[in-house]
Amino acid sequence: MARSARRRSSPLGETRFSVSLVPAESFREDVIAGLSLPQKALPPKYFYDARGSRLFEAICRLKEYYPTRSEFALMRGRIGEIARFARQGSALIEYGSGDSRKSHLLIEALRPSAYAPVDISADALQQASARLRRRFPWLEIRAVHGDFTQPLKVPMAPSRGRRVVYFPGSTIGNLTPEEAHAFLRMTRGQVGPGGAMLVGVDLKKDANVLHAAYNDAKGVTAAFNLNLLARINRELGADFRLRRFRHYAFYNPARGRIEMHLVSLARQTVNVGNYRFAFVEGESIHTENSYKYSIEGFRALARSAGFTGKKVWLDPRGLFSLHGLVAS
Ligand code: SAH
Ligand code: AVI
């Protein structure tokens, strides 16, 4: 996507793209800093290049990956109540919107005054915006290509009415509790007093169910994890040999999170530009956390960031939650 803002019009609604991009330099700096840590680590936001976004969508279709199906079931079953909570005509801001498929249900029920999807993946954002334009020609779309872990301007005029932030998919679980707290404080400021937030949060559950969801039989999650190294090779001229790394995901009960790692299968060195990194056999790169919350645990986190938990909806199997928060 071009760095300058683009504007496209449709007969009734309109789509505006604005870019608040992660520059290539930050990617290089984050990779070098992460691989220099005693426990090597890479930020999960870099999973989502065009291939990574497609692989994530394939994960959502896997039989083992229950979160997407559960959140859809929840949304379909309770959409009337959810829309009443969010209030018709509000301005809707969505973080980590991806394919925006869950948002279709919400937009239909809510008829927001405007919709601002924010995503780090330009491809996912463009495809989602094109689909939304076809399905909701009346909708004003203000797509923002940007990183929600950095200060970000969302072009939503106050005249658009009450603001509601939508953060589905348990993407909040990919932030540490401290990062999630900072993110919620940022959105608290953005919605203002009386504004609301809808947050999809995966629940703590049997570790075997969690293990299967992040270790699928077809190896799609492994491909998603390894694609991060392929992306570093492609965009930063590194020389990771993908066959020498293995996907490893497990539930850490003490921390209440799934951890994803890439484990070096041999003693080896890897070059990223002028930097060289040594791996011993069995050493890992920590690539993602996916925190799981109890209902009360998430409400306490939201409360500490200035939100009151007013509503919580669960899917019929009780695997996934959607929290309705109001800025206190
Ligand atoms: N909301 C969708 C997609 C969830 S996947 C769903 O519920 O299915 C996580 C999404 O967040 C991806 O589309 C990814 O590109 C985006 N994302 C991850 N980290 C991000 C960041 N730091 N800033 C903006 N978007 C981010
Ligand atoms: C986007 N996020 C909520 C997913 C998750 O479940 O943590 C990303 C993912 N990682 C592996 N599988 C899916």
Side-chain angles (χ1 to χ4, degrees):
M1 192 186 288
R3 284 190 65 86
S4 58
R6 279 190 204 170
R7 189 190 166 108
R8 284 189 200 161
S9 294
S10 62
L12 298 167
E14 63 170 24
T15 304
R16 286 187 197 171
F17 283 100
S18 58
V19 184
S20 175
L21 252 190
V22 189
E25 271 324 298
S26 309
F27 183 29
R28 185 182 308 278
E29 282 162 19
D30 288 348
V31 167
I32 288 163
L35 295 179
S36 306
L37 293 170
Q39 165 62 72
K40 294 179 170 65
L42 292 168
K45 65 186 178 190
Y46 293 118
F47 279 133
Y48 302 93
D49 63 352
R51 179 155 187 268
S53 295
R54 279 200 305 277
L55 284 166
F56 177 72
E57 287 171 25
I59 288 175
C60 293
R61 294 190 291 271
L62 293 168
K63 68 174 187 327
E64 297 97 328
Y65 194 73
Y66 64 86
T68 310
R69 257 189 308 283
S70 308
E71 195 175 16
F72 262 116
L74 184 167
M75 293 287 288
R76 280 200 200 94
R78 313 298 285 277
I79 194 66
E81 284 170 50
I82 295 167
R84 269 196 298 284
F85 168 81
R87 289 202 215 144
Q88 281 224 333
S90 296
L92 186 64
I93 300 167
E94 180 174 356
Y95 287 103
S97 46
D99 63 12
S100 281
R101 286 190 198 278
K102 288 169 196 156
S103 344
H104 281 218
L105 293 169
L106 196 56
I107 290 167
E108 199 161 49
L110 205 59
R111 290 197 71 96
S113 59
Y115 171 60
V118 180
D119 207 286
I120 203 162
S121 166
D123 295 83
L125 197 60
Q126 272 178 329
Q127 283 165 27
S129 299
R131 265 195 306 270
L132 284 160
R133 229 175 11 251
R134 284 196 296 274
R135 170 109 186 252
F136 305 108
W138 48 267
L139 183 64
E140 181 178 328
I141 304 169
R142 298 187 163 229
V144 180
H145 180 207
D147 177 354
F148 60 60
T149 63
Q150 305 292 323
L152 196 66
K153 219 174 150 30
V154 176
M156 193 69 97
S159 61
R160 290 290 165 200
R162 182 184 193 237
R163 288 180 180 181
V164 178
V165 165
Y166 183 40
F167 196 30
S170 205
T171 303
I172 198 156
N174 299 135
L175 306 176
T176 63
E178 296 72 33
E179 290 165 343
H181 176 269
F183 177 82
L184 290 169
R185 281 214 83 82
M186 182 277 285
T187 56
R188 164 71 184 76
Q190 193 167 48
V191 297
M197 198 168 173
L198 288 166
V199 196
V201 183
D202 196 12
L203 294 170
K204 288 185 192 283
K205 57 182 61 65
D206 180 349
N208 292 311
V209 176
L210 292 170
H211 182 89
Y214 292 84
N215 290 281
D216 65 278
K218 287 187 181 155
V220 184
T221 310
F224 174 72
N225 200 3
L226 283 159
N227 179 56
L228 185 51
L229 302 185
R231 178 177 186 188
I232 295 171
N233 283 350
R234 220 173 21 250
E235 295 185 22
L236 304 181
D239 61 359
F240 278 104
R241 280 160 290 185
L242 270 55
R243 287 220 188 85
R244 291 191 168 196
F245 288 87
R246 188 171 62 83
H247 164 74
Y248 178 53
F250 63 95
Y251 184 61
N252 178 337
R255 314 291 291 266
R257 69 192 193 194
I258 285 279
E259 291 186 20
M260 286 212 315
H261 293 251
L262 289 163
V263 179
S264 175
L265 296 175
R267 183 191 169 100
Q268 56 180 318
T269 56
V270 174
N271 297 292
V272 183
N274 295 329
Y275 292 80
R276 173 168 289 197
F277 300 97
F279 288 83
V280 296
E281 187 180 339
E283 185 177 359
S284 80
I285 310 173
H286 187 179
T287 51
E288 189 183 59
N289 291 315
S290 194
Y291 281 83
K292 310 299 167 186
Y293 287 92
S294 65
I295 291 171
E296 206 24 68
F298 185 75
R299 279 194 156 172
L301 174 68
R303 204 162 38 240
S304 74
F307 281 104
T308 306
K310 289 277 188 201
K311 294 270 182 191
V312 59
W313 297 274
L314 300 189
D315 67 292
R317 295 172 65 203
L319 298 175
F320 200 92
S321 62
L322 182 75
H323 287 257
L325 310 176
V326 173
S328 15

